[in-house]
Amino acid sequence: LSAPPLSAPPGAPFLPGLSAPPAPADDELEGMVGGSATMREVFAQARRVAPSEATLLILGEGGTGKETLARAMHRLSPRRHRPFVPVYCEAIPETRIEGELFGCERGALPGAHTARAGLCEAAEGGTLLLNDVAELPTRVQARLLRFLQTGEVRRVGASRARHVDVRLIATTHRDLVQRVRDGSFLSDLYFRLRLHEIRLPPLRQRPGDAVRIAESLLRRHAWAMAQAPLTLSAEARAAVAAAPWPGNVRELENAVHRAIVLAERGEIAPAHLGLDASSPPPVPPADALEAEPPSDSLEGYFRRFVLEHQAALTETEIARRLGISRKTLWERRQRLGIPRARS
Ligand SMILES: Nc1ncnc2c1ncn2[C@@H]1O[C@H](COP(=O)(O)OP(=O)(O)OP(=O)(O)O)[C@@H](O)[C@H]1O
Ligand SMILES: [Mg+2]
């Protein structure tokens, strides 16, 4: 979605009394929906911070909209016409991440037959988004810190550094303070990243927003299909409002998309959303999603979750729902003796 035009296009209907473009609504930000007081505050903070050049850290549980907010910030910034380059730190193998981010000279890394620019350089003039920044190995964290301090990138194997103009946005669902304490995240990098910090609250702490988002998804779907929107039954509204949504907006979005298929026409009932009013689905304790092992109950939860879901979900999706990296998922599978089922 792009910003609304500043002047009405030719042939636009005349709206009496409307001489200036309307002020941006405070219950949405570039397509993000949120009328709760907590989200209005987030949107206000995001609008203040967007024009800044300073590094931004976005925190929040899985599925709360960190990447979506980062994209909105880019579109609201003076860099909007320049590249937006998202990087998924946990998805890049450790042996390749330095070359991917910073580039490399010919022959400096295995398989580097030609010199190659990294993603930092690809974002020149624009915004670089580092998703899951806590998953970067310490060696790469140090290189990133040097880049932030000097504004210069040195490709792997290069003797000369080159100036690169990018704004960095980083996200994580981890507790970075804890990571700094246990020595797995560089404190200097942490302080450098959080020049601005925005914390996205979990969906269960945004009163009214789950229903707002669900209805906005239904309207958007109806618009795309050029048909009348499906509506939520009174029970479905109540169920959406009451559900804890441990997977936050992503989980809600999946539930609504499933309901659209199942309900086909007319009204959506709680069952279409997978919300059975009589037996609410069991929810892991909130901190189980964030916490690290080992604890017997957590391991039990992990084992049950993996065994129950591995037939239906990809490894990426399982890791995402558990709030861990794919690497951690793999390691835990090995440790607990539940290797990946062969398909
Ligand atoms: N406020 C919102 N209004 C409408 N849709 C939203 C909102 N926040 C997030 N979404 C949608 O929810 C989904 C998940 O958002 P996103 O990928 O940005 O979350 P995330 O915090 O980066 O997740 P993860 O931690 O798993 O990487 C996306 O499809 C996004 O469009
Ligand atoms: Mg994300």
Side-chain angles (χ1 to χ4, degrees), residues 200-261:
L200 278 170
L203 187 53
R204 61 189 172 279
Q205 286 170 17
R206 309 179 194 177
D209 281 357
V211 171
R212 282 187 194 96
I213 292 172
E215 293 186 328
S216 139
L217 288 168
L218 293 176
R219 278 195 304 273
R220 232 187 284 172
H221 174 78
W223 187 84
M225 306 298 287
Q227 64 192 29
L230 292 165
T231 52
L232 296 173
S233 71
E235 299 77 41
R237 273 175 142 256
V240 166
W245 302 116
N248 295 295
V249 185
R250 179 176 298 105
E251 185 186 2
L252 171 64
E253 217 173 50
N254 290 340
V256 171
H257 287 146
R258 202 167 1 150
I260 287 173
V261 175

Coordinates of all heavy atoms in Angstrom, one line a residue, residues 200-261:
L200 N 6.2 -4.0 20.1 CA 4.8 -4.3 19.7 C 4.2 -5.2 20.8 O 4.7 -6.3 21.0 CB 4.9 -5.0 18.4 CG 5.0 -4.1 17.1 CD1 5.3 -4.9 15.9 CD2 3.7 -3.3 17.0
P201 N 3.1 -4.8 21.3 CA 2.4 -5.7 22.4 C 1.8 -6.9 21.7 O 1.5 -6.9 20.5 CB 1.3 -4.8 22.9 CG 1.0 -3.8 21.8 CD 2.3 -3.6 21.1
P202 N 1.7 -8.0 22.5 CA 1.0 -9.2 22.0 C -0.4 -8.8 21.7 O -1.0 -7.9 22.3 CB 1.2 -10.2 23.1 CG 1.6 -9.5 24.3 CD 2.3 -8.2 23.9
L203 N -1.0 -9.6 20.8 CA -2.4 -9.2 20.4 C -3.4 -9.3 21.6 O -4.3 -8.5 21.6 CB -2.8 -10.2 19.3 CG -4.2 -10.0 18.6 CD1 -4.3 -8.6 18.1 CD2 -4.4 -11.0 17.5
R204 N -3.1 -10.2 22.5 CA -4.0 -10.3 23.7 C -4.0 -9.0 24.6 O -4.8 -8.9 25.4 CB -3.7 -11.5 24.5 CG -2.3 -11.6 25.1 CD -1.9 -12.9 25.7 NE -0.5 -12.9 26.1 CZ 0.5 -13.2 25.2 NH1 0.2 -13.5 23.9 NH2 1.7 -13.1 25.6
Q205 N -3.0 -8.2 24.3 CA -2.9 -6.9 25.1 C -3.4 -5.7 24.3 O -3.0 -4.6 24.5 CB -1.5 -6.7 25.6 CG -1.2 -7.6 26.8 CD 0.3 -7.5 27.2 OE1 1.0 -6.6 26.8 NE2 0.8 -8.5 27.9
R206 N -4.2 -6.0 23.2 CA -4.7 -4.9 22.4 C -6.2 -5.0 22.3 O -6.8 -5.5 21.4 CB -4.2 -5.0 21.0 CG -2.7 -5.2 20.8 CD -2.3 -5.3 19.4 NE -1.0 -5.8 19.2 CZ -0.4 -6.0 18.0 NH1 -1.1 -5.8 16.9 NH2 0.8 -6.4 17.9
P207 N -6.9 -4.5 23.4 CA -8.4 -4.7 23.5 C -9.1 -4.3 22.2 O -8.9 -3.2 21.7 CB -8.8 -3.9 24.7 CG -7.6 -3.7 25.4 CD -6.4 -3.7 24.5
G208 N -9.9 -5.2 21.6 CA -10.7 -4.8 20.5 C -10.0 -5.0 19.1 O -10.7 -5.1 18.1
D209 N -8.7 -5.2 19.1 CA -8.0 -5.2 17.9 C -8.1 -6.5 17.1 O -8.1 -6.5 15.9 CB -6.5 -4.9 18.1 CG -6.2 -3.4 18.2 OD1 -7.2 -2.6 18.1 OD2 -5.1 -3.0 18.5
A210 N -8.3 -7.6 17.8 CA -8.4 -8.9 17.1 C -9.7 -8.8 16.2 O -9.6 -9.2 15.1 CB -8.5 -10.0 18.1
V211 N -10.8 -8.3 16.8 CA -12.0 -8.2 16.0 C -11.8 -7.2 14.8 O -12.2 -7.5 13.7 CB -13.2 -7.8 16.9 CG1 -14.4 -7.5 16.0 CG2 -13.5 -9.0 17.8
R212 N -11.2 -6.1 15.1 CA -10.9 -5.1 14.1 C -10.1 -5.7 12.9 O -10.4 -5.5 11.8 CB -10.1 -3.9 14.6 CG -11.0 -2.9 15.4 CD -10.2 -1.7 15.8 NE -10.9 -1.0 16.9 CZ -10.6 -1.1 18.2 NH1 -9.7 -1.9 18.6 NH2 -11.4 -0.5 19.0
I213 N -9.0 -6.4 13.3 CA -8.2 -7.0 12.2 C -8.9 -8.0 11.5 O -8.9 -8.1 10.2 CB -6.9 -7.5 12.9 CG1 -6.0 -6.4 13.4 CG2 -6.1 -8.4 11.8 CD1 -4.8 -6.8 14.2
A214 N -9.7 -8.9 12.2 CA -10.5 -9.9 11.5 C -11.4 -9.3 10.5 O -11.5 -9.7 9.3 CB -11.2 -10.8 12.5
E215 N -12.1 -8.2 10.9 CA -13.1 -7.6 10.0 C -12.4 -6.9 8.9 O -13.0 -6.9 7.7 CB -14.0 -6.7 10.8 CG -14.9 -7.5 11.8 CD -15.9 -6.8 12.5 OE1 -15.7 -5.6 12.9 OE2 -17.0 -7.4 12.8
S216 N -11.3 -6.3 9.1 CA -10.6 -5.7 8.0 C -10.1 -6.7 7.0 O -10.1 -6.5 5.8 CB -9.4 -4.8 8.6 OG -8.3 -4.9 7.9
L217 N -9.7 -7.9 7.5 CA -9.3 -8.9 6.5 C -10.5 -9.4 5.7 O -10.4 -9.6 4.5 CB -8.7 -10.2 7.3 CG -7.3 -10.0 7.9 CD1 -7.0 -11.1 8.9 CD2 -6.3 -9.9 6.8
L218 N -11.6 -9.5 6.3 CA -12.8 -9.9 5.6 C -13.2 -8.9 4.5 O -13.6 -9.2 3.4 CB -14.0 -10.1 6.6 CG -13.9 -11.3 7.5 CD1 -15.0 -11.4 8.5 CD2 -13.7 -12.6 6.8
R219 N -13.1 -7.6 4.9 CA -13.4 -6.5 3.9 C -12.4 -6.6 2.8 O -12.8 -6.4 1.6 CB -13.3 -5.1 4.6 CG -14.6 -4.8 5.4 CD -14.6 -3.3 5.7 NE -13.4 -2.8 6.4 CZ -13.3 -2.9 7.8 NH1 -14.3 -3.4 8.5 NH2 -12.2 -2.5 8.4
R220 N -11.1 -6.8 3.1 CA -10.1 -6.8 2.0 C -10.3 -7.9 1.1 O -10.2 -7.8 -0.1 CB -8.7 -6.9 2.7 CG -7.8 -5.8 2.2 CD -6.4 -6.0 2.6 NE -6.2 -5.6 4.0 CZ -5.1 -5.9 4.7 NH1 -4.1 -6.5 4.1 NH2 -5.0 -5.5 5.9
H221 N -10.7 -9.1 1.7 CA -10.9 -10.3 0.8 C -12.1 -10.0 -0.1 O -12.1 -10.3 -1.3 CB -11.2 -11.5 1.7 CG -11.6 -12.7 1.0 ND1 -10.7 -13.5 0.3 CD2 -12.8 -13.3 0.7 CE1 -11.3 -14.5 -0.3 NE2 -12.6 -14.4 -0.1
A222 N -13.2 -9.5 0.5 CA -14.4 -9.2 -0.3 C -14.1 -8.2 -1.4 O -14.5 -8.4 -2.6 CB -15.5 -8.6 0.6
W223 N -13.3 -7.2 -1.1 CA -13.0 -6.2 -2.1 C -12.2 -6.9 -3.3 O -12.5 -6.7 -4.4 CB -12.1 -5.1 -1.5 CG -11.8 -4.0 -2.4 CD1 -12.7 -2.9 -2.6 CD2 -10.7 -3.8 -3.1 NE1 -12.0 -2.1 -3.5 CE2 -10.8 -2.6 -3.9 CE3 -9.5 -4.5 -3.3 CZ2 -9.9 -2.1 -4.7 CZ3 -8.5 -4.0 -4.2 CH2 -8.7 -2.8 -4.9
A224 N -11.2 -7.7 -2.9 CA -10.4 -8.4 -3.9 C -11.2 -9.3 -4.8 O -11.0 -9.5 -6.0 CB -9.3 -9.2 -3.2
M225 N -12.2 -10.0 -4.2 CA -13.1 -10.9 -4.9 C -14.3 -10.2 -5.5 O -15.2 -10.9 -6.1 CB -13.6 -12.0 -4.0 CG -12.5 -12.8 -3.3 SD -11.3 -13.6 -4.4 CE -12.4 -15.0 -4.9
A226 N -14.4 -8.9 -5.3 CA -15.6 -8.2 -5.8 C -16.9 -8.8 -5.3 O -17.8 -9.1 -6.2 CB -15.6 -8.0 -7.3
Q227 N -17.0 -9.1 -4.1 CA -18.2 -9.7 -3.5 C -18.5 -9.1 -2.1 O -17.7 -8.4 -1.6 CB -18.1 -11.2 -3.4 CG -17.1 -11.7 -2.5 CD -16.8 -13.2 -2.6 OE1 -16.9 -13.7 -3.7 NE2 -16.4 -13.8 -1.5
A228 N -19.7 -9.3 -1.7 CA -20.1 -8.8 -0.4 C -19.3 -9.5 0.7 O -19.0 -10.7 0.7 CB -21.6 -9.0 -0.1
P229 N -18.8 -8.7 1.8 CA -18.0 -9.3 2.8 C -18.7 -10.3 3.6 O -19.9 -10.2 3.9 CB -17.6 -8.1 3.7 CG -18.4 -7.0 3.3 CD -19.0 -7.3 1.9
L230 N -18.0 -11.4 4.0 CA -18.6 -12.3 5.0 C -18.6 -11.5 6.4 O -17.8 -10.6 6.6 CB -17.6 -13.5 5.2 CG -17.5 -14.5 4.0 CD1 -16.3 -15.3 4.2 CD2 -18.8 -15.3 4.0
T231 N -19.5 -11.9 7.2 CA -19.5 -11.2 8.5 C -19.3 -12.3 9.6 O -19.4 -13.5 9.4 CB -20.9 -10.6 8.8 OG1 -21.9 -11.6 8.6 CG2 -21.1 -9.4 7.9
L232 N -18.9 -11.8 10.8 CA -18.7 -12.6 12.0 C -20.0 -12.7 12.7 O -20.6 -11.7 12.9 CB -17.6 -12.0 12.9 CG -16.2 -11.9 12.4 CD1 -15.3 -11.1 13.4 CD2 -15.6 -13.3 12.1
S233 N -20.4 -13.9 13.1 CA -21.6 -14.0 13.9 C -21.2 -13.4 15.3 O -20.1 -13.2 15.6 CB -22.0 -15.5 14.1 OG -21.0 -16.1 14.9
A234 N -22.3 -13.2 16.1 CA -22.0 -12.6 17.4 C -21.1 -13.5 18.2 O -20.2 -13.0 18.9 CB -23.4 -12.4 18.1
E235 N -21.4 -14.8 18.1 CA -20.5 -15.8 18.9 C -19.1 -15.7 18.4 O -18.1 -15.8 19.2 CB -21.0 -17.2 18.8 CG -22.5 -17.4 19.3 CD -23.5 -16.9 18.3 OE1 -23.3 -17.2 17.1 OE2 -24.5 -16.3 18.7
A236 N -18.9 -15.6 17.1 CA -17.6 -15.6 16.5 C -16.8 -14.3 17.0 O -15.6 -14.4 17.3 CB -17.6 -15.7 15.0
R237 N -17.5 -13.2 17.0 CA -16.9 -12.0 17.5 C -16.4 -12.1 18.9 O -15.3 -11.8 19.2 CB -17.9 -10.8 17.5 CG -18.0 -10.1 16.2 CD -19.1 -9.1 16.3 NE -18.7 -7.9 15.6 CZ -18.3 -6.8 16.1 NH1 -18.4 -6.7 17.4 NH2 -17.9 -5.8 15.4
A238 N -17.3 -12.7 19.7 CA -17.0 -12.9 21.1 C -15.8 -13.9 21.3 O -14.9 -13.6 22.0 CB -18.2 -13.4 21.9
A239 N -15.8 -14.9 20.4 CA -14.7 -15.9 20.5 C -13.4 -15.3 20.1 O -12.3 -15.5 20.7 CB -15.0 -17.1 19.7
V240 N -13.4 -14.5 19.0 CA -12.2 -13.8 18.5 C -11.6 -12.9 19.6 O -10.4 -12.9 19.9 CB -12.5 -13.1 17.2 CG1 -11.3 -12.1 16.9 CG2 -12.7 -14.0 16.0
A241 N -12.6 -12.1 20.2 CA -12.1 -11.2 21.2 C -11.5 -11.9 22.4 O -10.6 -11.4 23.1 CB -13.3 -10.3 21.7
A242 N -12.1 -13.1 22.8 CA -11.6 -13.8 24.0 C -10.4 -14.7 23.8 O -9.7 -15.0 24.7 CB -12.8 -14.6 24.6
A243 N -10.2 -15.1 22.5 CA -9.1 -16.0 22.3 C -7.7 -15.4 22.7 O -7.5 -14.2 22.5 CB -9.1 -16.5 20.9
P244 N -6.8 -16.2 23.2 CA -5.5 -15.7 23.6 C -4.5 -15.4 22.5 O -3.5 -14.7 22.6 CB -5.0 -16.7 24.6 CG -5.6 -18.0 24.1 CD -6.9 -17.7 23.5
W245 N -4.7 -16.0 21.3 CA -3.9 -15.8 20.1 C -2.4 -15.9 20.4 O -1.7 -14.8 20.2 CB -4.2 -14.5 19.4 CG -5.6 -14.4 19.0 CD1 -6.6 -13.5 19.4 CD2 -6.3 -15.3 18.0 NE1 -7.8 -13.8 18.8 CE2 -7.7 -14.8 17.9 CE3 -5.9 -16.3 17.2 CZ2 -8.6 -15.4 17.1 CZ3 -6.9 -16.9 16.4 CH2 -8.2 -16.5 16.3
P246 N -1.9 -17.0 20.9 CA -0.4 -17.1 21.2 C 0.5 -16.8 20.0 O 1.6 -16.3 20.1 CB -0.2 -18.5 21.7 CG -1.4 -19.2 21.3 CD -2.6 -18.3 21.2
G247 N -0.1 -17.1 18.8 CA 0.7 -16.8 17.6 C 0.4 -15.4 17.0 O 0.8 -15.1 15.9
N248 N -0.4 -14.6 17.8 CA -0.6 -13.2 17.5 C -1.3 -13.0 16.1 O -2.1 -13.8 15.7 CB 0.7 -12.4 17.7 CG 1.1 -12.4 19.1 OD1 0.4 -11.8 20.0 ND2 2.2 -13.0 19.4
V249 N -1.0 -11.9 15.5 CA -1.7 -11.5 14.3 C -1.6 -12.6 13.2 O -2.5 -12.9 12.5 CB -1.3 -10.2 13.7 CG1 -2.2 -9.7 12.6 CG2 -1.3 -9.1 14.8
R250 N -0.4 -13.2 13.1 CA -0.3 -14.2 12.1 C -1.3 -15.4 12.3 O -1.9 -15.9 11.4 CB 1.1 -14.8 12.0 CG 1.3 -15.9 10.9 CD 2.7 -16.4 10.7 NE 3.6 -15.4 10.3 CZ 4.5 -14.8 11.1 NH1 4.6 -15.2 12.3 NH2 5.3 -13.9 10.6
E251 N -1.4 -15.8 13.5 CA -2.4 -16.9 13.8 C -3.8 -16.5 13.5 O -4.6 -17.2 12.9 CB -2.2 -17.3 15.3 CG -3.1 -18.5 15.6 CD -3.0 -18.8 17.1 OE1 -2.4 -18.1 17.9 OE2 -3.7 -19.8 17.5
L252 N -4.1 -15.3 13.9 CA -5.5 -14.7 13.6 C -5.7 -14.7 12.1 O -6.8 -15.1 11.6 CB -5.6 -13.3 14.2 CG -6.9 -12.6 13.8 CD1 -8.1 -13.2 14.4 CD2 -6.8 -11.1 14.4
E253 N -4.7 -14.2 11.4 CA -4.9 -14.1 9.9 C -5.1 -15.5 9.3 O -6.0 -15.7 8.5 CB -3.6 -13.6 9.4 CG -3.7 -12.7 8.2 CD -2.4 -12.0 7.9 OE1 -1.4 -12.7 7.7 OE2 -2.4 -10.8 7.8
N254 N -4.3 -16.5 9.8 CA -4.5 -17.9 9.3 C -5.9 -18.4 9.6 O -6.6 -19.0 8.8 CB -3.5 -18.8 9.9 CG -2.1 -18.6 9.4 OD1 -1.9 -18.0 8.3 ND2 -1.1 -19.0 10.1
A255 N -6.4 -18.1 10.8 CA -7.7 -18.6 11.2 C -8.8 -17.9 10.3 O -9.7 -18.6 9.9 CB -8.0 -18.2 12.7
V256 N -8.6 -16.6 10.0 CA -9.6 -16.0 9.2 C -9.6 -16.5 7.8 O -10.6 -16.7 7.2 CB -9.4 -14.4 9.2 CG1 -10.3 -13.7 8.2 CG2 -9.7 -13.9 10.6
H257 N -8.4 -16.7 7.2 CA -8.3 -17.3 5.9 C -9.0 -18.6 5.8 O -9.7 -19.0 4.8 CB -6.9 -17.3 5.4 CG -6.4 -15.9 5.1 ND1 -5.1 -15.5 5.3 CD2 -7.0 -14.8 4.6 CE1 -5.0 -14.3 4.9 NE2 -6.1 -13.8 4.5
R258 N -8.8 -19.5 6.8 CA -9.4 -20.8 6.8 C -10.9 -20.6 6.9 O -11.7 -21.3 6.2 CB -8.9 -21.6 8.1 CG -9.1 -23.1 7.9 CD -8.3 -23.7 9.0 NE -7.7 -22.7 9.9 CZ -7.4 -22.8 11.1 NH1 -7.6 -23.8 11.8 NH2 -6.8 -21.8 11.8
A259 N -11.4 -19.7 7.7 CA -12.8 -19.5 7.9 C -13.5 -19.0 6.6 O -14.6 -19.4 6.2 CB -13.1 -18.5 9.0
I260 N -12.7 -18.2 5.8 CA -13.3 -17.7 4.6 C -13.5 -18.9 3.6 O -14.6 -18.9 3.0 CB -12.3 -16.7 3.9 CG1 -12.3 -15.4 4.7 CG2 -12.6 -16.5 2.4 CD1 -11.2 -14.4 4.2
V261 N -12.6 -19.8 3.6 CA -12.8 -21.0 2.8 C -14.0 -21.9 3.3 O -14.8 -22.3 2.5 CB -11.5 -21.9 2.7 CG1 -11.7 -23.1 2.0 CG2 -10.4 -21.0 2.2

